[in-house]
Amino acid sequence: MPLQPPAQAGQSFAEIDTPALILDLDAFERNLVTMAAYTQGHGVRLRPHAKTHKSPEIALRQIAHGAVGQCCQKVSEAEILVEGGVTDVLVSNEVAGAVKLDRLAKLARQAKISLCVDHLDGVREAAEAAARQDVVLDVLVEIDVGGRRCGVAPGETAVRLAEAISRSNSLRFGGLQAYHGTAQHMRSIDERREAIERAALGTRNTVERLTQAGLSCAVVGGAGTGTFEIESQSGIWNEIQAGSYIFMDADYARNRTADGTPFRTFEHALFILAGVMSKPVPDRAVVDAGHKAASVDSGLPVPFRREGVVYTKPSDEHGVLTGDPITLPHRGDRLLLVPGHCDPTVNLHDWYVCVRGLHTPDAHVEALWPVAARGALT
């Protein structure tokens, strides 16, 4: 039996059941405009990361604001995006095995599909799957620019992979994937800039070697919400893959700008609405949002605009609030929590409860959007 959503369109904010995943539509739309204006002003393409939102509804709004398509991490995410109307998808990740690659190749009959490789076996497997489905897949070579995850070393090894792709009748060399994930969460701008400058050296060298080999590098993709300003001004990266900018979680808000102030380019737009279910003693309140409502891998949720109130000790169904008894909410009160990490938090919920005028007396539910790619792991 399908679970009942926590709200219905047209309801007041006060009528939303808890816990619920709240999307502040006004802040979300301003974030869309801010990123679109920045990337357009710096002459780079925007390909937002759908692993953040897992929603064709959001993807299509990003595309309406100028994004060239979407990237994602899983074939199942790509399938849901294409089914939802997205016509250009990059799986910015390695895809291994005939089952997954056949699924991905089938999608290329409906949309422009790209993927990444970092091994000659990956080139061979992708070529075989594309040939079986009678399609052509665009393939990027992923290089390790400092994240120490996937990717071959920049330089000649990457060129050899690109040459192997270009020799295939069922593959088309699309460029480079050069994403530095670790740099996104380095707190100071100096640390982030230094990391991306090192990444730029290997990326530029690889592009130059590809040119010498007669291979055009149409796409140099990467960057995230923490470093997109650096990559977009580098003259190397031409496709920006930021995802969290639309929501701005508590972890990204800990990054610092050049003057040491918090990163405020984007607004908090994603929240967990929690209800106080118990206040057994004056200095402790308990909310109904624990591990099942919020991911804590990048830190605990932060109470929004609740000075002196701290969220602690989450368990499956509980979160404990501590602080001055005067400032702590009472049983039956509700509060907004900013998730520590937006991507896995979204994956815990079935619905976005989209609220217009969130921080006003007229706050109301404008729409419910399904988290369509929730649990899309394959």
Side-chain angles (χ1 to χ4, degrees):
M1 184 171 116
L3 294 176
Q4 181 174 328
Q8 297 294 330
Q11 288 183 326
S12 69
F13 180 71
E15 294 176 285
I16 301 171
D17 201 2
T18 62
L21 188 68
I22 303 294
L23 181 60
D24 178 349
L25 287 173
D26 302 291
F28 163 72
E29 289 167 358
R30 288 191 291 269
N31 289 343
L32 288 180
V33 170
T34 297
M35 180 61 91
Y38 185 91
T39 52
Q40 290 165 12
H42 286 80
V44 294
R45 299 184 294 272
L46 176 62
R47 182 181 293 277
H49 218 308
K51 74 180 177 69
T52 296
H53 56 71
K54 303 168 182 66
S55 165
E57 292 275 0
I58 291 176
L60 293 176
R61 283 164 174 78
Q62 292 174 314
I63 291 166
H65 280 79
V68 296
Q70 295 279 292
C71 57
C72 61
Q73 292 294 82
K74 299 288 188 172
V75 174
S76 51
E77 290 177 332
E79 289 169 333
I80 291 165
L81 289 171
V82 171
E83 182 181 356
V86 178
T87 59
D88 189 335
V89 179
L90 162 67
V91 179
S92 52
N93 199 5
E94 277 61 39
V95 180
V99 173
K100 287 184 174 65
L101 284 163
D102 279 344
R103 287 165 52 198
L104 193 63
K106 287 177 183 176
L107 279 185
R109 299 172 184 169
Q110 303 170 251
K112 181 179 182 291
I113 299 295
S114 309
L115 73 155
C116 297
V117 299
D118 65 357
H119 196 281
L120 283 172
D121 286 349
V123 177
R124 175 183 54 77
E125 290 176 0
E128 291 171 352
R132 284 194 295 269
Q133 303 301 328
D134 194 26
V135 297
V136 175
L137 292 172
D138 287 84
V139 181
L140 307 184
V141 173
E142 181 167 9
I143 57 175
D144 179 6
V145 293
R148 299 298 182 263
R149 196 166 59 182
C150 297
V152 297
E156 284 305 313
T157 305
V159 173
R160 288 196 294 273
L161 276 180
E163 289 173 333
I165 294 165
S166 67
R167 289 193 294 268
S168 170
N169 293 325
S170 55
L171 303 179
R172 182 167 44 233
F173 174 63
L176 297 177
Q177 173 73 359
Y179 173 66
H180 195 331
T182 308
Q184 306 310 311
H185 306 281
M186 294 175 176
R187 296 308 175 205
S188 77
I189 184 62
D190 290 339
E191 290 176 301
R192 297 196 298 277
R193 184 176 289 114
E194 182 181 350
I196 298 307
E197 286 175 351
R198 288 197 301 269
L201 291 174
T203 306
R204 179 181 285 109
N205 175 263
T206 306
V207 171
E208 291 172 351
R209 288 170 181 257
L210 286 164
T211 301
Q212 293 167 5
L215 295 171
S216 175
C217 199
V219 173
V220 180
T225 298
T227 66
F228 73 95
E229 294 165 305
I230 305 169
E231 281 97 339
S232 62
Q233 296 173 32
S234 68
I236 303 169
W237 282 268
N238 58 21
E239 204 162 277
I240 302 304
Q241 297 173 354
S244 299
Y245 75 94
I246 53 171
F247 295 152
M248 269 308 291
D249 56 33
D251 188 65
Y252 269 118
R254 297 183 186 104
N255 282 4
R256 292 293 184 264
T257 60
D259 62 2
T261 57
F263 178 54
R264 293 286 184 266
T265 303
F266 304 103
E267 303 174 44
H268 290 305
L270 188 78
F271 304 93
I272 302 144
L273 178 64
V276 179
M277 56 193 287
S278 172
K279 193 173 183 183
V281 293
D283 62 352
R284 182 172 76 244
V286 184
V287 296
D288 57 4
H291 289 302
K292 293 182 181 177
S295 174
V296 299
D297 63 297
S298 295
L300 298 177
V302 176
F304 185 67
R305 295 180 180 173
R306 293 273 187 164
E307 193 68 32
V309 177
V310 179
Y311 179 101
T312 66
K313 292 175 61 178
S315 51
D316 285 359
E317 312 292 354
H318 304 81
V320 175
L321 303 178
T322 61
D324 189 311
I326 297 174
T327 61
L328 279 180
H330 301 287
R331 184 182 183 279
D333 288 350
R334 290 127 57 85
L335 72 159
L336 294 170
L337 303 172
V338 181
H341 189 181
C342 53
D343 303 16
T345 294
V346 168
N347 198 53
L348 296 170
H349 295 263
D350 291 306
W351 299 95
Y352 290 103
V353 179
C354 304
V355 176
R356 183 68 67 186
L358 176 59
H359 306 298
T360 74
D362 298 322
H364 63 278
V365 180
E366 184 169 297
L368 272 81
W369 296 341
V371 184
R374 179 186 182 187
L377 302 177
T378 62

